[in-house]
Amino acid sequence: MVAENYRDVDRKVGEACARSGRKREEVTLIAVSKTKPVEMIREAMDAGAEVFGENKVQELCDKYDQLPKTLHWHLIGHLQRNKVKYIVDKVDLIHSVDSLRLAEEISKEAEKKQVDVNILIEVNVAQEESKFGVSVEETENLVREIAKLPHIHVLGLMTIAPYVTDPEENRPVFRTLKKLAVDIKMKNIDNVRMDVLSMGMTGDYQVAIEEGATMVRVGTGIFGERNYSV
Ligand SMILES: *Cc1c(COP(=O)(O)O)cnc(C)c1O
């Protein structure tokens, strides 16, 4: 089931790339495995999945220990400063940095472990009160401050679009994030790349790709509905 779902989503990612004149290699499909057991992750691996997204530090560390070290782990959920130390040497990318204090902690722990950490800035494009992330207006300043820190590289931006029934409703959100990344990239800030755009989830990843996503985070579409009550 999971393997079949993964192949299906992977194919749709390819189709969205083709529709928008983009190369398939430009878009990374992140299999969001939060709340799902390692057996299901293995099934996704069998279908070719190599990049997994988790939103909790403890869960990421548990799965990291149990699975092959060839996999790539991305932290996509809100990160507390006191947990940074557990993951800086395990993750390829942290998608959810939204404050200078958090970035400073990442930089400090990266220094201790002698690693470099890649991050994205989480932008609350739709200005939803329930969501983390900086505003569009604050983003450039935060990027400039974080760029000065050692052992940390700002690769781009991430957003969690609103939950909608028609994915077209989120097209303006994705367009706004893309434009923001282009605007910041043009400033040529040292240590800032702005090449990565993490946007699009199960309901809207194809639209996100059409609008320039380079990473899509798909959970339900691969692993099925999550059950938080158990
Ligand atoms: C859970 C989660 C996803 C995946 O959501 P689905 O709708 O299940 O694809 C993507 N991004 C973040 C940040 C998440 O927490």
Side-chain angles (χ1 to χ4, degrees):
M1 193 57 191
V2 171
E4 202 178 305
N5 289 345
Y6 182 84
R7 286 192 200 98
D8 193 50
V9 172
D10 187 59
R11 181 176 49 76
K12 286 182 184 147
V13 167
E15 286 167 4
C17 287
R19 264 203 308 282
S20 38
R22 305 181 58 199
K23 295 201 193 84
R24 175 63 187 87
E25 312 88 80
E26 285 175 39
V27 180
T28 303
L29 170 57
I30 301 171
V32 177
S33 47
K34 63 188 188 198
T35 79
K36 300 296 181 182
V38 291
E39 293 72 39
M40 288 177 98
I41 296 181
R42 288 211 174 84
E43 286 179 52
M45 286 167 58
D46 290 341
E50 292 174 338
V51 186
F52 292 89
E54 289 285 339
N55 69 339
K56 293 214 166 72
V57 167
Q58 178 71 52
E59 192 174 340
L60 189 152
C61 291
D62 288 347
K63 289 172 175 170
Y64 178 92
D65 285 341
Q66 294 177 60
L67 289 157
K69 294 294 169 279
T70 49
L71 297 183
H72 301 280
W73 296 95
H74 290 199
L75 188 82
I76 60 174
H78 183 64
L79 177 58
Q80 289 170 318
R81 278 180 295 135
N82 61 353
K83 303 221 169 125
V84 167
K85 55 177 176 287
Y86 302 116
I87 55 148
V88 282
D89 55 347
K90 296 191 177 69
V91 295
D92 281 30
L93 185 63
I94 300 173
H95 290 232
S96 46
V97 176
D98 64 356
S99 74
L100 182 58
R101 286 175 80 203
L102 175 59
E104 283 169 345
E105 183 67 20
I106 294 170
S107 176
K108 194 182 93 193
E109 291 299 329
E111 161 75 35
K112 278 192 204 162
K113 297 222 162 65
Q114 284 298 303
V115 292
D116 276 15
V117 180
N118 293 323
I119 66 157
L120 303 177
I121 305 299
E122 180 172 352
V123 186
N124 187 354
V125 176
Q127 292 179 290
E128 288 181 285
E129 275 190 30
S130 59
K131 298 236 166 94
F132 293 102
V134 284
S135 69
V136 168
E137 293 73 27
E138 293 165 317
T139 303
E140 185 185 328
N141 266 337
L142 181 62
V143 167
R144 284 186 186 280
E145 291 304 312
I146 294 177
K148 296 174 192 159
L149 301 172
H151 298 288
I152 191 165
H153 305 293
V154 185
L155 300 194
L157 307 177
M158 176 271 222
T159 197
I160 303 175
Y163 182 79
V164 291
T165 42
D166 177 5
E168 284 299 327
E169 287 178 52
N170 278 336
R171 195 179 286 278
V173 172
F174 300 140
R175 221 168 253 184
T176 301
L177 195 73
K178 169 73 184 183
K179 181 179 182 303
L180 181 61
V182 170
D183 288 348
I184 295 175
K185 192 178 171 72
M186 283 194 320
K187 310 270 163 94
N188 282 318
I189 306 165
D190 264 0
N191 191 27
V192 172
R193 284 202 357 219
M194 284 297 138
D195 296 329
V196 175
L197 275 186
S198 169
M199 56 188 195
M201 309 184 359
T202 295
D204 53 19
Y205 66 93
Q206 288 157 290
V207 172
I209 291 169
E210 288 167 14
E211 296 301 330
T214 69
M215 289 183 181
V216 291
R217 312 177 305 265
V218 179
T220 311
I222 295 171
F223 297 102
E225 295 288 337
R226 287 175 294 273
N227 182 355
Y228 289 104
S229 65
V230 288

